[in-house]
Amino acid sequence: MSRVHTVTLNPAIDQTVSLPHLAVGEVNRATAVRHDPGGKGVNVASVLADWGVSVAAHGLLGRANAAPFEALFAQKSIADRMLRVTGETRTNVKILEEDGRTTDLNLPGFPADEGHLAALAEGLGSVAAGELVVISGSQPAGLPASATARLAARVQERGARVLCDVSGAPLAEVLAAPVLPDAIKPNRHELEGWVGRTLADRADLAAAAAALAARGIALVVVSLGTEGALFVSSDGAVVARPVQLSRGSTVGAGDAMVAGLASALVEGLPLRATAARATAFAAAKLQNPGPHLPGVDQVRALEARVERMAAADWIRAAGRTADQGERT
């Protein structure tokens, strides 16, 4: 199995604060707190390593508090290709309530510049043809919106495949590039931001995803929270959702789905199997705090129970529900 490379331009230390209920404007007493080295690409690398995939982590890392990341990479045998920069990696505060609701407070981190981007691109020169590069997450202040698209172009020139999980202006730049990524994973809100309109209707959502696939993106995945996710490729369109969702921290669940996609792409799984793998990774991550999978057997059991249906049936089901509501 070839190595997967992850790229994290804006990593973070995730501070997860647990409490019964968040009362805004009042004093709140936490029941627990934990700190996890993270950032979307770091989370993807961590989950892939749990699955047994050989993975290298690239990106930018604040020199002042790099120790937690270095410990994670050493513990999971992740190749550390992160470029050290002056300053501290930011902290993201996740407030987790007992009912599972999570409130995020994402703090600013170190600034970056074109010199950092050039050094990172040079480091990606180790990527081999046929390998998979996962570029995910936000960008630090100082980098142009085109940073992700430029890094993608760099590795595509080397014959590597690219999976992007970005949003906003970086996503627009990626989708305007001469060579498109092999796979993308926006959520509904991020896709709406790109198309410039709401996609509350299932048919509109599926059409937007299909239009991206028709432009040449081999796999388009739109995550839909508790509704599951929509998977679109030249083989068709499938909606997948887990049979059972565990109660737990949702921090990193989307990144676990990206890791599942990456493992499926590396193994060359067909569309329906890819949908089951990615959905199982996301559901399995809920069983553990931090960016970690449970045992492989547990994930396999969840994978076997993922519900999948053709997107056309999913769309028709929404229409039937609406009709029944009008008649009652």
Side-chain angles (χ1 to χ4, degrees), residues 94-320:
K94 318 287 186 180
I95 303 174
L96 175 63
E97 299 174 68
E98 284 184 351
D99 64 0
R101 186 175 70 166
T102 303
T103 301
D104 293 352
L105 300 174
N106 291 348
L107 306 183
F110 52 75
D113 56 32
E114 286 285 350
H116 294 122
L117 190 60
L120 183 53
E122 182 177 353
L124 287 168
S126 63
V127 175
E131 291 187 323
L132 178 67
V133 179
V134 182
I135 308 176
S136 51
S138 62
Q139 299 179 177
L143 291 186
S146 62
T148 293
R150 288 161 58 182
L151 291 175
R154 163 73 169 170
V155 297
Q156 286 169 323
E157 289 172 356
R158 301 185 60 80
R161 295 179 293 167
V162 174
L163 164 58
C164 279
D165 179 19
V166 296
S167 61
L171 176 61
E173 291 281 347
V174 164
L175 295 180
V179 180
L180 294 172
D182 297 87
I184 61 171
K185 193 216 70 69
N187 59 33
R188 186 199 299 267
H189 176 71
E190 291 163 350
L191 184 58
E192 288 175 335
W194 181 72
V195 301
R197 67 181 189 279
T198 60
L199 297 170
D201 183 83
R202 290 182 177 181
D204 289 343
L205 180 74
L212 286 172
R215 292 178 58 195
I217 302 176
L219 178 63
V220 177
V221 180
V222 184
S223 54
L224 305 171
T226 56
E227 292 183 65
L230 170 67
F231 298 77
V232 182
S233 76
S234 59
D235 294 330
V238 174
V239 174
R241 67 182 308 276
V243 172
Q244 181 179 357
L245 285 172
S246 301
R247 292 187 63 182
S249 173
T250 59
V251 176
D255 303 328
M257 175 169 280
V258 173
L261 291 173
S263 73
L265 289 170
V266 168
E267 294 178 32
L269 299 184
L271 181 63
R272 288 179 63 86
T274 295
R277 171 69 57 80
T279 304
F281 267 46
K285 183 262 156 273
L286 297 180
Q287 299 180 15
N288 287 337
H292 313 290
L293 284 183
V296 171
D297 289 344
Q298 291 175 263
V299 180
R300 292 284 190 196
L302 287 170
E303 188 175 7
R305 298 177 62 205
V306 169
E307 295 179 342
R308 289 158 290 178
M309 64 188 307
D313 294 336
W314 178 67
I315 293 168
R316 281 193 291 270
R320 287 194 297 269

Side-chain angles (χ1 to χ4, degrees), residues 46-136:
S46 177
V47 171
L48 282 172
D50 289 339
W51 190 248
V53 175
S54 175
V55 59
H58 303 252
L60 305 176
L61 194 61
R63 188 177 292 109
N65 58 349
F69 295 88
E70 293 167 349
L72 175 71
F73 297 152
Q75 175 190 355
K76 296 198 175 187
S77 299
I78 297 169
D80 182 0
R81 308 282 174 78
M82 302 287 283
L83 176 68
R84 304 309 194 261
V85 302
T86 301
E88 289 190 351
T89 297
R90 65 194 175 126
T91 297
N92 287 343
V93 181
K94 318 287 186 180
I95 303 174
L96 175 63
E97 299 174 68
E98 284 184 351
D99 64 0
R101 186 175 70 166
T102 303
T103 301
D104 293 352
L105 300 174
N106 291 348
L107 306 183
F110 52 75
D113 56 32
E114 286 285 350
H116 294 122
L117 190 60
L120 183 53
E122 182 177 353
L124 287 168
S126 63
V127 175
E131 291 187 323
L132 178 67
V133 179
V134 182
I135 308 176
S136 51

